Amino acid sequence: MGKTKAINERKTKFGTEPVGKLLISLAVPAIIANLVNALYNVVDQIFIGQKIGFLGNAATNVAFPLTTICLAIGLMTGVGAATNFNLELGRKRPKRAKSVAGTAATILLLSGVILCILINIFLKSMLTAFGATDQIFNYAIEYTQITSLGIPFLLFSIGANPMVRADGNAFYSMLAIVIGAVTNTILDPLFMFGFDMGMDGAAWATVIGQFISAVMLGLYFFRFKSVKFELKDFKIKIREIGILFALGTSPFIFQCSALIIQIVTNNLLKVYGANSIYGSEIPIAVAGIVMKINVIFIAILLGLTQGAQPIAGFNYGAKKYSRVWEILKLTLKVAFIISLVSFAVFQIFPIQIISIFGKGSNLYFKYGTKYMRVFLFFIFLNGIQGAITMFLTSIGKASQGAFLSLVRQIISLLPLLIILPHFMGVDGIMFAFPIADFIAFAVSVIVLKGEMKKIPKKDETY
């Protein structure tokens, strides 16, 4: 009886409450959670830059692909499970909803342990492949050997977070990430400067923060409002794996593509930077800083789309198509505003932003200013492209979402990264990104128009 009441309340909330009010209630906590989560790497980068210098920043950039691997697996599993959870509740099938969520939770834990073991076995060869130079290598090893121990907790947190939001408790999902990140922020200066632990201190602060977030999110599975989990629900079911992986294909492909781009970019910066006035280390350090700054923008955008995801998914599953159209239009408008503001900030204050991450030579700041302005030039279009991709995934259009993820990273950006430096040297690397952004935006609009023609504008009785 209690379970039925919870599902009916959810139906009333997602199916009848004003879309704008719903989006605010779900997106704001998600944005805060993602922003705070993004600060894990940004805070480390800031304190490392102040303590170690730009070589420390370059080392964290070389290690960052490991975080991207966690994002790929975690978001594929978590977003896939959350999307299916909402669709199944919209279809009035709560047993199937908790089956896929329970399977996802167990897969996240097992994947984290396996990934931690593999990273420690192949760590040195992996960091070399990620673009580490001789000056960077020891710092990268020191940092990554410790942070790898937190990978099971990081992976579980990434995947469990969208599932908690899918239950309608965006505040708790935010709280779990915020508490972990605040812990990391407090411990970073304490360990690095107070205990003089250097890179080790930043790494241990990160692991402890990730552990706290994971524990909080894990405990929530026994407090779900929409369904009541039992231990048997966490047994991995083969039939659910295909569903959650299919619906999580888009974020998985996006992150895997990002991983390839990060590795290729680092190695290109290493090679072409060595032949420039900047050397290899300055371009690698700058690229890492700008990428982390871009992660802040992505965190805001991702929080917006994550807030829209359960609304779009539930109403699409319930065949309330007028509300599906409404949430799409609202999400696109807000995404564009966020992107436009971000564009203005990054173009006007590049030196001030880069200075937060530590001191450097005039050459360092010259390259950093130029790299940031060029790299983020079309960021005001990225918001729309990202919102379209997540929307298509949230209504079960996994293949279309996956295709759009591939367009920017692999189909457009990768060839540009390889071709442009032949003509422009190290500067060609930064120009590849805005060109790929524009191409991805144009293709996303075309795909969205085609898909929306298939969706009725009037509701159907389920």
Side-chain angles (χ1 to χ4, degrees), residues 66-67 69-71 73-74 104-120 144-160 206-207 209-215 217-218:
L66 298 177
T67 300
I69 293 172
C70 293
L71 285 168
I73 299 172
T106 304
I107 288 176
L108 287 166
L109 284 173
L110 290 177
S111 299
V113 173
I114 293 171
L115 189 57
C116 175
I117 294 171
L118 291 176
I119 287 173
N120 278 282
T144 310
Q145 280 181 331
I146 297 172
T147 55
S148 65
L149 300 177
I151 280 177
F153 312 124
L154 172 62
L155 192 55
F156 183 81
S157 296
I158 292 169
T206 297
V207 171
Q210 291 166 345
F211 171 77
I212 291 173
S213 294
V215 169
L217 289 166

Side-chain angles (χ1 to χ4, degrees), residues 307-346:
Q309 181 268 326
I311 305 170
F314 182 91
N315 285 286
Y316 187 82
K319 298 185 178 181
K320 294 190 174 185
Y321 298 121
S322 62
R323 291 175 64 81
V324 174
W325 278 89
E326 188 178 356
I327 188 60
L328 170 64
K329 292 177 182 177
L330 182 58
T331 304
L332 289 176
K333 288 178 183 177
V334 177
F336 180 70
I337 293 171
I338 292 171
S339 302
L340 202 58
V341 172
S342 300
F343 169 80
V345 171
F346 296 146

Side-chain angles (χ1 to χ4, degrees), residues 23 48 54 146 450:
L23 183 60
I48 287 171
F54 75 89
I146 297 172

Side-chain angles (χ1 to χ4, degrees), residues 213-227:
S213 294
V215 169
M216 290 185 65
L217 289 166
L219 291 174
Y220 183 83
F221 275 82
F222 300 96
R223 299 172 50 195
F224 261 63
K225 300 174 183 177
S226 304
V227 295

